[in-house]
Amino acid sequence: MRRSEVLAEESIVCLQKALIHLREIWELIGIPEEQRLQRTEVVKKHIKDLLDRMIAEEESLRERLLKSISFCQKELSTLCNELQVKPFQEEKETTVLQLEKDLRTQVELLRKQKKERKQELNLLQEQDQELCEILCMPTYDVDSTSVPTLEELNLFRQHVATLRETKESRHEQFVSIKKQIILCMEELEHTPDTSFEKDIVCEDESAFCLSLENIATLQKLLQQLEIKKSKNEAECEGLRAQIRELWDRLQIPEEEREPVAAIMTGSKAKVRNALQLEVDRLEELKMQNIKQVIETIRVELAQFWDQCFYSKEQRQAFAPYYSEDYTENLLHLHDAEIIRLRNYYEVHKELFEGVQKWEESWKLFLEFERKASDPSRFTNRGGNLLKEEKERAKLQKTLPKLEEELKARIEKWEQEQSMAFMVNGQKFMEYVTEQWELHRLEKEKAKQERQLKNKRQTEAEMLYGSAPRTPSKRPGLTPNKPGKVRKMNTTTMSSATPNSSIRPAFGGTMYRSPVSRLPPSGSKSVITSMCSGKKTPRAARLRANKENMELNGSMLSEGPVPL
C-alpha cells in the first residue's frame, strides 16, 4: 500500500475521532439534538468545501501541466528544426508531471543553445565586418535571421581565422615595405607628393587599407624607388671609380685625397653633386697633364695585355700605343681601349685565371724537371728531396686534369662566342701541345749532350788516364778510412779491402790505368799496335775496357739511383 493511501486512511480515522470528540463535548455541554445536527452540518460543509477547493486546485494543476506539455512539445519541435537536431523522444509510461519536467528541461537546453549560437554568429559577423573593412574584402555570406548550424559556425570561425592571419601577414608586409620606402625616400631626399605616398608615410598604420591592390601598389612604389636608388648608387660608384682612376693616373698624393674621403660613401644628391665636381676638377687636371696620364694608361694596358695573353701582333695592332703625339684624341683612344680591355678581361676572367693557373703549374713542373736532372739534389738535408718528389708527383697528376678542364671550358666558350680563344696569338690547346713538344725536345737535346760529353770524357780517360775523384758523401754513410798502402812500381793500390777495384763505379777513388802508360822502350810499338788492323790481345783488352768505361760513365752521368 502506498504511503498516500495509508495517510488518507489515517485522515479518515482522525476525522472520525474529531467528530466523536465533538459529540462528547456536546453531550457534556448538553446541546440539544437539533443544535447538534446543525453543528454537524456545519462541520460537514466546512470539510466538503475544503476538499472541493483542494480538488479544484489539483485539477487546475493537472490542466496547467497538460497545457505546459503541449506548449513544450510545440516549442521543442520548432527548436529542433531551427537547430537541426534530432527530435526529443518521450519516455513511455511516464507521469504527466515527469513528462512536463523533461520537456521543459529540454526546451530550456535548446533555448540556451539557440541563444549561444546567435550570440556567436553576431560576434563573428562583427569580426568579419571589421576585418573585411581593413582588407577591403566582401563580408561573409551568412543568413543572420536563422539559427546557424554547428557546421556553419565552424566554417565561419575558420573564415574569420583566415582573415585574421591574412591581416597579420599583410600588416607585417606593409610595415616592412613602409620602412624600406621611408629609407629610400630619405636616401633619395624625396618628399611624398601623391596622396598615396602621404597615406603611407604620414597616416596611422592601423588606418591603412591592406587590400591586395594597395600592397601591389606599395611594392611597385618600392621597386621604383629602389631602381632610382640603385641608379644613383651606380652613378655615384661610377664617379668614385673615375675619381680613383684619375687619382692613380695623375698620381695624386694621399694628403690631397683625404678631404674627398667624406663623399666616397653614400648616394644622396649632395654627394653625387660633390663627386661630379671632383671628377670635373680631375678631368681638367688630366688635360693639363695629358702625357703623364697617357703613359699611366699604357702601363695599365700592358698589364691587361699580359693578363689576356696578347701576342706581339695583337699588341702592335693598337697603333696609338706607340704614338708620341700626346693629344686629347690620343687620350680618348687610350681610354676607349682600356675600357674595352677591362670589359674583355672581366667577361673572360675565369678562363684567363685558368690559363694563368696552368702557366704557373707549368713553370713549377719545369722547375721540378730541372731539379730532377741535377745530381747535386741528392746531397740535400732536411727531407727537401722527399717533399719535392711528392709535389712533383702531385703536379704530374693535376696538370693533365687542369688541361682537360680548360679544354672543355674553352670549347664551350668557342661554341658560344663563335670564335677561337687565343693565347699568345695561337689556340690554347695548340699552345699547350707546343710547350710539351718544346719540353720533350729540350730533354732529348740535354740527353744527347750528356751522352756526347760522357763519350768524350771516356775517350780522354782512355788516352790520358782518369783523374782521382773525391769520394762523395751520402747521408747515413760514413766514409771508409784508408788502410796502409804500399807502392808497386808507379801504381798505388789500397790494401784496406779486396773489392777496391769496383769503387770508381760508385764515386770512389779512380787510379791511373797501367795500360795507358808508355813502356820504357818508347811508345811507337804501342801506337802501332793500336792503329794497325791486327787485333792483338792487348788491343782487345783495351777495347773491352773502353766499353766498360763507357757503360760506367753513362751510369755516373745520370746520377746515382735513389734507394
Side-chain angles (χ1 to χ4, degrees):
M1 183 179 293
R2 296 179 181 177
R3 292 182 62 186
S4 60
E5 295 176 352
V6 174
L7 186 61
E9 291 180 356
E10 290 178 354
S11 299
I12 294 172
V13 172
C14 183
L15 180 60
Q16 290 176 350
K17 286 182 179 181
L19 289 173
I20 293 171
H21 188 61
L22 283 173
R23 282 196 300 266
E24 290 177 354
I25 294 173
W26 291 339
E27 284 288 340
L28 291 173
I29 294 174
I31 295 175
E33 182 65 25
E34 292 180 358
Q35 289 183 358
R36 291 181 185 180
L37 183 61
Q38 290 177 355
R39 290 176 185 270
T40 305
E41 287 292 337
V42 172
V43 172
K44 176 184 175 183
K45 185 180 179 181
H46 278 296
I47 293 173
K48 186 175 181 299
D49 289 341
L50 177 62
L51 291 176
D52 288 340
R53 286 197 306 270
M54 291 180 64
I55 290 171
E57 289 178 359
E58 295 301 323
E59 285 289 341
S60 175
L61 176 61
R62 186 174 67 87
E63 292 296 331
R64 288 198 310 270
L65 289 174
L66 292 176
K67 289 180 180 179
S68 176
I69 288 172
S70 177
F71 178 78
C72 288
Q73 286 175 340
K74 291 180 180 179
E75 187 175 2
L76 192 60
S77 177
T78 304
L79 289 172
C80 288
N81 291 331
E82 289 179 343
L83 298 174
Q84 295 186 7
V85 295
K86 294 180 180 181
F88 177 72
Q89 299 292 331
E90 299 178 2
E91 295 183 4
K92 296 180 180 181
E93 298 180 358
T94 182
T95 61
V96 175
L97 186 61
Q98 184 64 39
L99 178 60
E100 191 273 340
K101 181 180 179 183
D102 293 341
L103 290 173
R104 183 163 36 85
T105 304
Q106 188 66 22
V107 167
E108 290 176 355
L109 179 62
L110 293 182
R111 283 176 182 173
K112 184 179 179 181
Q113 290 183 8
K114 178 180 177 180
K115 183 180 179 181
E116 290 176 351
R117 290 191 190 182
K118 293 289 287 184
Q119 288 177 348
E120 186 176 3
L121 177 63
N122 293 334
L123 180 60
L124 290 173
Q125 284 179 325
E126 291 176 1
Q127 295 176 357
D128 179 67
Q129 181 70 27
E130 180 183 356
L131 292 170
C132 288
E133 288 177 358
I134 295 175
L135 299 174
C136 298
M137 295 174 62
T139 58
Y140 188 75
D141 186 13
V142 63
D143 186 7
S144 58
T145 59
S146 63
V147 180
T149 63
L150 293 176
E151 184 179 359
E152 289 174 345
L153 283 176
N154 189 33
L155 292 175
F156 204 175
R157 287 191 214 100
Q158 292 178 2
H159 173 73
V160 172
T162 303
L163 288 180
R164 192 174 289 109
E165 291 176 359
T166 304
K167 176 196 170 185
E168 295 296 330
S169 175
R170 291 188 187 179
H171 185 263
E172 291 178 0
Q173 190 176 7
F174 164 71
V175 172
S176 175
I177 296 175
K178 177 182 177 180
K179 289 181 180 179
Q180 297 179 55
I181 288 175
I182 293 175
L183 291 175
C184 287
M185 286 183 175
E186 291 176 354
E187 185 70 23
L188 297 171
E189 298 180 347
H190 174 76
T191 304
D193 48 6
T194 64
S195 59
F196 184 76
E197 293 178 357
K198 291 178 181 178
D199 290 342
I200 297 171
V201 178
C202 306
E203 292 295 329
D204 184 15
E205 293 180 358
S206 59
F208 186 80
C209 181
L210 300 174
S211 64
L212 289 175
E213 183 180 358
N214 283 353
I215 296 296
T217 308
L218 274 175
Q219 292 174 340
K220 184 177 180 181
L221 176 61
L222 177 61
Q223 186 178 7
Q224 292 173 353
L225 294 173
E226 286 180 342
I227 291 174
K228 190 174 181 180
K229 180 183 175 182
S230 300
K231 184 178 179 181
N232 288 351
E233 289 176 349
E235 185 178 351
C236 291
E237 195 58 37
L239 291 172
R240 292 188 187 99
Q242 282 184 264
I243 291 173
R244 295 189 190 96
E245 185 177 354
L246 290 170
W247 278 349
D248 295 337
R249 289 180 179 178
L250 297 173
Q251 298 180 355
I252 303 297
E254 287 294 333
E255 54 269 16
E256 294 184 19
R257 301 185 185 186
E258 290 179 358
V260 193
I263 62 172
M264 295 306 284
T265 56
S267 59
K268 294 185 177 180
K270 60 181 181 180
V271 174
R272 186 169 64 255
N273 296 334
L275 289 171
Q276 187 62 54
L277 290 175
E278 179 65 13
V279 169
D280 295 340
R281 184 186 73 83
L282 293 173
E283 286 288 344
E284 183 179 353
L285 188 62
K286 181 180 75 172
M287 299 307 298
Q288 297 174 1
N289 300 271
I290 192 168
K291 181 178 179 180
Q292 176 187 349
V293 174
I294 291 176
E295 292 295 337
T296 305
I297 295 176
R298 285 176 175 175
V299 172
E300 190 175 356
L301 274 175
Q303 293 175 353
F304 274 108
W305 283 344
D306 293 338
Q307 290 177 343
C308 296
F309 300 96
Y310 264 35
S311 63
K312 184 178 180 180
E313 292 76 12
Q314 287 176 299
R315 302 183 186 209
Q316 291 176 349
F318 182 63
Y321 183 86
Y322 306 96
S323 176
E324 296 183 359
D325 185 12
Y326 298 99
T327 61
E328 185 176 353
N329 183 42
L330 185 66
L331 177 60
H332 290 329
L333 292 174
H334 280 72
D335 282 333
E337 181 65 14
I338 195 66
I339 292 173
R340 185 191 70 81
L341 270 178
R342 188 180 292 118
N343 294 336
Y344 177 74
Y345 176 76
E346 289 298 327
V347 172
H348 311 108
K349 185 177 181 179
E350 291 184 1
L351 281 179
F352 288 132
E353 288 179 350
V355 173
Q356 181 65 32
K357 183 179 179 181
W358 181 89
E359 285 277 358
E360 294 173 357
S361 300
W362 178 252
K363 291 179 181 178
L364 185 60
F365 173 75
L366 294 180
E367 180 65 18
F368 284 145
E369 288 288 302
R370 184 189 64 78
K371 290 181 178 180
S373 60
D374 185 6
S376 62
R377 69 194 181 106
F378 294 103
T379 61
N380 76 93
R381 295 294 187 270
N384 291 333
L385 179 60
L386 181 60
K387 183 178 179 181
E388 288 180 4
E389 285 297 324
K390 289 182 178 179
E391 292 179 358
R392 182 167 176 248
K394 181 179 178 182
L395 191 61
Q396 285 177 339
K397 294 179 180 179
T398 57
L399 195 59
K401 291 182 180 179
L402 181 59
E403 292 174 3
E404 290 297 326
E405 292 177 3
L406 284 175
K407 180 181 178 181
R409 289 166 59 184
I410 289 172
E411 288 178 353
K412 181 180 178 182
W413 181 89
E414 290 178 345
Q415 291 177 357
E416 294 175 353
Q417 304 293 329
S418 299
M419 58 184 296
F421 183 78
M422 309 299 288
V423 174
N424 295 329
Q426 63 182 139
K427 291 185 176 181
F428 176 71
M429 294 312 299
E430 294 178 357
Y431 173 74
V432 171
T433 304
E434 180 180 339
Q435 295 301 312
W436 280 105
E437 182 62 22
L438 290 174
H439 174 61
R440 187 188 67 80
L441 293 175
E442 288 179 1
K443 287 184 67 177
E444 188 67 26
K445 181 180 178 182
K447 181 179 179 181
Q448 292 176 358
E449 290 177 352
R450 188 167 60 250
Q451 289 177 349
L452 181 60
K453 179 181 178 181
N454 292 338
K455 183 177 179 181
R456 291 175 178 174
Q457 181 179 358
T458 303
E459 291 177 353
E461 291 176 353
M462 289 295 298
L463 292 175
Y464 307 109
S466 58
R469 297 180 183 176
T470 304
S472 60
K473 296 181 180 180
R474 297 181 63 186
L477 297 177
T478 305
N480 296 326
K481 296 181 180 180
K484 298 179 180 180
V485 297
R486 59 187 180 89
K487 291 185 179 180
M488 297 179 63
N489 297 329
T490 60
T491 304
T492 304
M493 299 183 65
S494 175
S495 62
T497 61
N499 296 327
S500 60
S501 59
I502 63 173
R503 287 183 184 174
F506 298 97
T509 305
M510 299 291 290
Y511 301 99
R512 294 184 179 274
S513 173
V515 178
S516 61
R517 296 188 59 197
L518 296 177
S521 59
S523 61
K524 292 183 181 181
S525 60
V526 176
I527 295 174
T528 302
S529 63
M530 290 179 65
C531 297
S532 63
K534 298 180 180 180
K535 295 182 179 179
T536 61
R538 187 179 184 85
R541 286 196 302 271
L542 280 173
R543 287 189 181 89
N545 195 15
K546 180 179 179 182
E547 292 175 358
N548 292 334
M549 291 300 291
E550 288 180 355
L551 179 59
N552 294 334
S554 63
M555 290 175 61
L556 290 172
S557 63
E558 291 295 331
V561 179
L563 297 177

